Amino acid sequence: MDKLLITGAAGFIGSNFVHYWQERYPQDSIVVLDLLTYAGNKNNLESFLEVPTFNFIKGSVCDQALVNSIFTEHEINRVVHFAAESHVDRSITEPDAFINTNILGTHTLLKVAKDVWLDGNLPDHLFHHVSTDEVYGSLEPGEMAFQETTRYAPNSPYASSKAASDHLVRAYHKTYGLNVTTSNCSNNYGP
């Protein structure tokens, strides 16, 4: 049985992931951490609020004391990190929120994961970071699609903040040995 912390799970992609995971792995324990900003809607998770293996916590990924207590109290061994400021246009007018959540929030999660998992000798752990194709820049008509080997070329504060968080995740793997994966979403839509 896995014990997942899913950040930003009241948003569109995160809530659909919770539905997917709960349907396929009902024995697993899920803790959702979401600040419920403009992108989060607790109603997306309403069908799980009475499920004994599901916990919803309203809070920020930047709150290290809160994140640490979630890891230790719920014995988290998997993180799926969706939480992010994500609208390009908002990043142009309000870049500070993107730096705070996307970079510092990701770093907070990584620090706690390292301390709890590696210092606590928990080899069966995984930190999955959900990123964006925006880190690769823009495509011109007729250009080949981005691949995982495409060089980074972020063009907005949003894309830059996600690129920085991607690099932090990679660094925690290379430097400390944290088990990590990263996915780059692109134009998600539909149920």
Side-chain angles (χ1 to χ4, degrees):
M1 181 175 95
D2 286 321
K3 298 179 179 183
L4 286 78
L5 169 60
I6 307 174
T7 68
F12 174 71
I13 306 169
S15 62
N16 278 281
F17 177 80
V18 170
H19 284 268
Y20 167 87
W21 198 268
Q22 186 68 31
E23 181 180 308
R24 282 160 184 79
Y25 307 100
Q27 74 284 358
D28 286 355
S29 172
I30 294 176
V31 177
V32 165
L33 176 61
D34 199 300
L35 193 55
L36 296 178
T37 61
Y38 63 91
N41 184 345
K42 193 174 177 182
N43 292 335
N44 291 337
L45 303 169
E46 191 168 353
S47 61
F48 303 114
L49 296 178
E50 301 301 320
V51 174
T53 57
F54 182 88
N55 290 285
F56 179 87
I57 299 169
K58 182 179 179 184
S60 172
V61 293
C62 296
D63 184 340
Q64 187 167 339
L66 175 60
V67 171
N68 190 67
S69 71
I70 292 169
F71 267 75
T72 56
E73 290 172 24
H74 296 275
E75 300 176 334
I76 300 298
N77 70 329
R78 304 276 185 263
V79 169
V80 183
H81 179 38
F82 290 99
E85 299 287 338
S86 62
H87 294 142
V88 173
D89 291 345
R90 288 188 72 241
S91 80
I92 295 167
T93 59
E94 302 173 42
D96 290 356
F98 289 74
I99 302 305
N100 191 44
T101 301
N102 299 354
I103 300 174
L104 299 178
T106 300
H107 189 232
T108 297
L109 289 165
L110 288 165
K111 286 189 298 186
V112 171
K114 176 193 166 289
D115 290 347
V116 173
W117 293 342
L118 298 182
D119 296 347
N121 196 25
L122 180 67
D124 182 26
H125 66 266
L126 179 66
F127 188 105
H128 180 72
H129 176 60
V130 179
S131 188
T132 174
D133 66 341
E134 295 277 343
V135 299
Y136 300 122
S138 302
L139 286 176
E140 296 298 322
E143 278 190 282
M144 295 293 292
F146 296 127
Q147 299 177 3
E148 291 177 343
T149 56
T150 301
R151 71 175 179 82
Y152 277 39
N155 292 324
S156 68
Y158 163 60
S160 297
S161 68
K162 290 302 285 185
S165 65
D166 292 0
H167 292 310
L168 282 170
V169 171
R170 183 179 188 278
Y172 267 74
H173 170 68
K174 291 292 188 179
T175 303
Y176 304 111
L178 200 67
N179 297 331
V180 303
T181 54
T182 298
S183 59
N184 298 89
C185 294
S186 177
N187 299 330
N188 295 279
Y189 64 92

